[in-house]
Amino acid sequence: MKETNEIKPCCAASRSDFQEEKTPAEQATVSSGSAFQEKLIYIPGGEFWMGTEDEEGFPADGEGPVRKVKVKPFYMDAHTVTNAEFDAFVRDTGYVTEAEQYRWSFVFHHFISKQAGQVQQLPDTPWWYGVDEAFWYQPEGPGSTIEDRMDHPVTHVSWNDAEAFSKWAGKRLPTEAEWEYAARGGLEQNRYPWGNELTPGGEHYCNIWQGKFPFENTKEDGYASTAPSVSFPPNGYGLYNVSGNVWEWCSDYFSTNPSPASDQDTPMVIRGGSYLCHHSYCNRYRVAARSMNTKDSSTGNMGFRCAADV
């Protein structure tokens, strides 16, 4: 059984750990549009058993109790928003991400660019560093680039950034219930989107950490950092990478109780785990797993996908 007394610090770092003020940038008006509609997949509505009481879970995260939840039909992006898609948004609107406003973001210690200037280590999760000039288009800091990763998920985007993109695209962020319902792919109470075995037939179905976290990644799944947004087999609804790769922002405030939170200072729900998740520390790549982060936080392993009403 995993820890039950407190929410264990996860593999997504929070900006609130560094008390630093932000100077808001002058933002261009982001109007509602209809970009990238072709990637939306119809998700039929229905009832499902949400949450888990699995012994592999983290009860303190509020994964349980298992309860029946009803969702209306909706649309969900087949894959996370890519660097190419986010680039189109920025070019069209002149949008400036919160990481760019703060002038830094969190980078995993293995990936910090050699040209990085000031870095600040998080004491409780020492594999995370706040790196100056780490943004969505240079995710490891100065000197890094996304030129060969345009089909990878955009990272270093906050919840507020994801909201702005969603509005521009004529979409929205999914609710937590929608996210889990879609991620399950029509399966009932399975541990993963494809079943209950992590590597069926010895095959990898998601991008997570292999080896000894946080020091050695053997990259048995083929990736040390992000994988392309369309990679590994999709789930039963045709959704890619709902386990691993990058954490995905949801529209809900985080609560460990069945009733949702609503305080504007409450962190937001993130789902799906990331390429840094490992069974020994953070097996939150399970479909019922959940975590949280503040609205203005950004890291090298957090992204998002959009939803839309029917």
Side-chain angles (χ1 to χ4, degrees):
M1 180 75 71
K2 298 294 179 182
E3 291 186 18
T4 59
N5 296 327
E6 61 181 356
I7 297 177
K8 191 175 183 179
C10 200
C11 55
S14 175
R15 198 176 288 278
S16 62
D17 292 324
F18 291 153
Q19 300 301 319
E20 188 170 338
E21 294 185 1
K22 174 183 65 175
T23 302
E26 186 73 26
Q27 291 285 17
T29 300
V30 177
S31 57
S32 182
S34 58
F36 307 113
Q37 299 290 311
E38 71 282 352
K39 62 190 280 195
L40 287 170
I41 290 180
Y42 177 77
I43 309 295
E47 288 188 330
F48 77 110
W49 291 103
M50 183 173 180
T52 188
E53 292 161 13
D54 190 336
E55 64 179 9
E56 290 289 321
F58 293 91
D61 287 359
E63 293 183 10
V66 175
R67 63 273 187 199
K68 184 160 281 191
V69 174
K70 186 175 183 178
V71 296
K72 297 178 180 179
F74 63 101
Y75 291 102
M76 188 81 142
D77 279 348
H79 59 78
T80 48
V81 173
T82 65
N83 284 315
E85 291 169 339
F86 201 80
D87 181 67
F89 161 62
V90 170
R91 289 176 183 274
D92 185 56
T93 63
Y95 186 83
V96 180
T97 63
E98 291 200 285
E100 292 170 277
Q101 295 180 48
Y102 278 107
R103 306 305 304 170
W104 67 273
S105 188
F106 285 106
V107 179
F108 187 68
H109 69 121
H110 281 185
F111 305 139
I112 299 172
S113 70
K114 294 180 180 180
Q115 298 178 33
Q118 181 174 327
V119 297
Q120 186 175 353
Q121 187 180 35
L122 273 183
D124 292 334
T125 49
W127 45 87
W128 280 119
Y129 284 77
V131 176
D132 281 1
E133 310 297 311
F135 311 133
W136 69 272
Y137 54 87
Q138 46 187 42
E140 290 79 48
S144 63
T145 179
I146 57 170
E147 288 181 2
D148 61 346
R149 290 177 278 179
M150 296 305 285
D151 61 342
H152 286 226
V154 65
T155 58
H156 297 290
V157 285
S158 69
W159 185 90
N160 293 313
D161 300 331
E163 274 279 282
F165 176 97
S166 299
K167 181 179 179 181
W168 170 79
K171 304 178 187 180
R172 59 175 174 80
L173 292 177
T175 67
E176 184 175 14
E178 288 175 334
W179 192 97
E180 183 172 327
Y181 180 73
R184 288 188 177 277
L187 301 179
E188 195 74 78
Q189 280 293 294
N190 279 253
R191 187 172 286 174
Y192 309 112
W194 53 86
N196 286 312
E197 188 178 349
L198 180 59
T199 54
E203 295 294 322
H204 290 278
Y205 277 61
C206 63
N207 176 20
I208 57 176
W209 187 285
Q210 292 91 39
K212 186 177 180 181
F213 184 85
F215 305 107
E216 179 191 12
N217 188 346
T218 59
K219 300 181 286 186
E220 293 166 27
D221 57 26
Y223 302 96
S225 182
T226 57
S229 287
V230 175
S231 55
F232 300 97
N235 75 356
Y237 287 140
L239 305 184
Y240 292 89
N241 289 311
V242 281
S243 281
N245 215 21
V246 292
W247 283 103
E248 300 180 20
W249 290 109
C250 292
S251 63
D252 295 277
Y253 292 96
F254 184 87
S255 173
T256 56
N257 301 311
S259 55
S262 59
D263 187 340
Q264 289 293 321
D265 294 325
T266 303
M268 307 305 293
V269 172
I270 53 175
R271 283 297 209 118
S274 81
Y275 58 83
L276 294 180
C277 283
H278 185 266
H279 186 272
S280 68
Y281 181 77
C282 175
N283 67 335
R284 290 180 174 91
Y285 43 84
R286 294 169 296 104
V287 75
R290 60 202 298 264
S291 194
M292 61 181 175
N293 218 326
T294 59
K295 284 185 174 183
D296 63 348
S297 290
S298 60
T299 70
N301 70 335
M302 285 201 303
F304 67 103
R305 78 179 70 211
C306 301
D309 295 329
V310 171

